[in-house]
Amino acid sequence: MELHLTSEQNLLRDSAEKFAAAAGAKVARASRGRGFAPARLREAGELGWLGMLVPTSADGAGLGLTELALVLEQTGRALVTEPIGLAAIAAAALAQGHAPHPMLPRATRGEALVVPALQESAHADPSTLHTRADGDARAPRLTGKKISVCADGADGFLVSAASRDGAALYYVARDATGATLATTPSVDGRGLATLTLDAAPADLVPARQSSRGAVAALTDLALIALSAELLGVMEGAQEMTFAYLRLRKQFGKPIGSFQALQHKAVDIYIRTETTRSLIYQVAAANDPYRIDPALAAAVKAKASENALAVTQACIQLHGAIGFTDEHDIGLYLKRAMLLSSLLGNAAAQRRRYADLAELEA
């Protein structure tokens, strides 16, 4: 798919590509179990990426989903370890309401990291909430549990909870009384935490006027962000594999000249390009604060399924060396496994899409 970008969007993509060039498989491998580099997150803040979705009235860039996808596509392609996508969508949520949250300026500069904590089950829809908000609306306290939280280096969390007025979004500081984290390593070495809240104090994050609820808006925004990064992971794996097919020789010929492997390579290319087409069509047609939930689910389902299929096929095309931990192609599969699982895998998103379609019928 050929993207028709403005000159500003081309500059943004080039800038993201240069930023990602300093990362790559070597950096991703070295960061396993160690977390990301805070200086790199601050650099992303200086480039304006963390505030790209924040309205200009709140000192943000006021950009859209296409710009977000352009940046995250490059970070996924280079296996960037800094949680730029999560930080950017959290900043967008903090900017909602008449008065932005006090954490917003630090979050957009990369001086503090705020990440979403929305998921309560590996299979349930994130909108199904068991975490509850009790007490006075001006001083709520949250009780519940969130899983698969990317808490490495986080200073606070955007937590979804059921209140008397329905689903609402709250900011909880990492060091808040009653908030505890239990972190375990994920398949790609990044730590994923379970956040347990026991009457933890929180701040209500209001929904933007004339938009859907804050929880629904952040959930759908997160699905688009994860999908864009998955697209980049697919591209990085594809690029590495196609280079290998041209380089590796067997029977005196590059193995890429064999028809059976060409067919496999075409399948990889088609999956990558169809994912790109869907992501950018949805990005162009939706406002960051008013994303069609069915389209968000469809994008995440497509990206999750295709990313796993592509990275697995790329390992197969590398042969035995691809199955070793020493080869970098495996890092793309592990990143795809992590990202595809967050907020529900392909099967969970297809169920959500079917449920949404039934409601609209």
Side-chain angles (χ1 to χ4, degrees):
M1 173 188 175
E2 183 180 355
L3 293 176
H4 297 284
L5 304 176
T6 65
S7 58
E8 291 81 4
Q9 289 171 336
N10 277 313
L11 287 172
L12 178 64
R13 182 173 62 180
D14 293 344
S15 176
E17 190 173 350
K18 291 178 182 177
F19 177 89
K26 184 177 180 180
V27 175
R29 188 182 296 279
S31 68
R32 291 192 291 190
R34 297 172 53 188
F36 66 90
R40 291 271 290 171
L41 187 66
R42 290 193 295 272
E43 182 181 349
E46 292 169 2
L47 290 167
W49 298 346
L50 305 185
M52 65 168 57
L53 300 179
V54 175
T56 54
S57 59
D59 296 327
L63 301 177
L65 293 176
T66 298
E67 289 79 11
L68 177 70
L70 288 171
V71 170
L72 296 185
E73 182 183 348
Q74 296 303 319
T75 62
R77 188 173 188 168
L79 299 174
V80 170
T81 57
E82 289 71 35
I84 293 172
L86 296 178
I89 65 173
L94 290 171
Q96 298 185 74
H98 294 291
H101 193 276
M103 282 293 291
L104 179 63
R106 294 185 62 211
T108 55
R109 292 194 299 266
E111 296 172 359
L113 175 61
V114 180
V115 296
L118 306 173
Q119 194 168 350
E120 296 188 354
S121 166
H123 306 291
D125 189 322
S127 62
T128 303
L129 297 174
H130 298 286
T131 301
R132 68 180 190 274
D134 301 316
D136 191 286
R138 291 171 295 182
R141 291 187 173 269
L142 305 189
T143 300
K145 183 179 292 186
K146 299 293 182 178
I147 66 169
S148 300
V149 181
C150 297
D152 281 353
D155 298 280
F157 309 96
L158 293 180
V159 181
S160 55
S163 70
R164 287 175 294 182
D165 300 321
L169 194 65
Y170 298 87
Y171 172 79
V172 177
R174 183 190 186 104
D175 58 357
T177 304
T180 57
L181 287 168
T183 304
T184 56
S186 67
V187 66
D188 83 333
R190 183 183 302 184
L192 286 182
T194 296
L195 173 64
T196 302
L197 303 169
D198 184 8
D203 299 329
L204 175 67
V205 178
R208 191 185 189 195
Q209 286 186 327
S210 71
S211 76
R212 299 166 58 234
V215 173
L218 181 58
T219 299
D220 295 333
L221 187 53
L223 295 179
I224 299 297
L226 291 168
S227 299
E229 194 168 348
L230 280 166
L231 171 62
V233 172
M234 296 164 67
E235 287 181 334
Q238 174 184 286
E239 182 179 340
M240 181 178 291
T241 301
F242 287 4
Y244 181 77
L245 293 179
R246 298 184 190 99
L247 178 66
R248 179 77 165 89
K249 290 186 177 181
Q250 191 62 270
F251 307 112
K253 298 180 180 179
I255 62 174
S257 65
F258 301 145
Q259 191 175 53
L261 300 190
Q262 289 176 350
H263 289 170
K264 199 78 172 177
V266 168
D267 289 341
I268 290 171
Y269 180 79
I270 290 174
R271 284 184 180 272
T272 302
E273 291 305 306
T274 54
T275 302
R276 183 199 314 281
S277 176
L278 180 59
I279 288 174
Y280 281 102
Q281 285 188 57
V282 171
N286 285 267
D287 180 274
Y289 293 95
R290 290 187 294 273
I291 301 171
D292 185 318
L295 289 178
V299 167
K300 181 58 162 57
K302 182 80 168 177
S304 296
E305 181 176 16
N306 282 350
L308 290 174
V310 163
T311 51
Q312 289 167 0
C314 287
I315 287 180
Q316 184 181 11
L317 287 176
H318 275 80
I321 189 66
F323 287 84
T324 64
D325 184 64
E326 288 78 6
H327 200 285
D328 291 338
I329 192 62
L331 297 176
Y332 289 93
L333 172 61
K334 292 172 182 177
R335 182 63 62 87
M337 291 172 67
L338 171 65
L339 296 176
S340 64
S341 70
L342 296 179
L343 294 181
N345 60 14
Q349 297 303 330
R350 284 193 289 267
R351 287 194 299 271
R352 182 173 184 240
Y353 182 88
D355 292 341
L356 290 167
E358 185 177 342
L359 287 174
E360 295 178 1

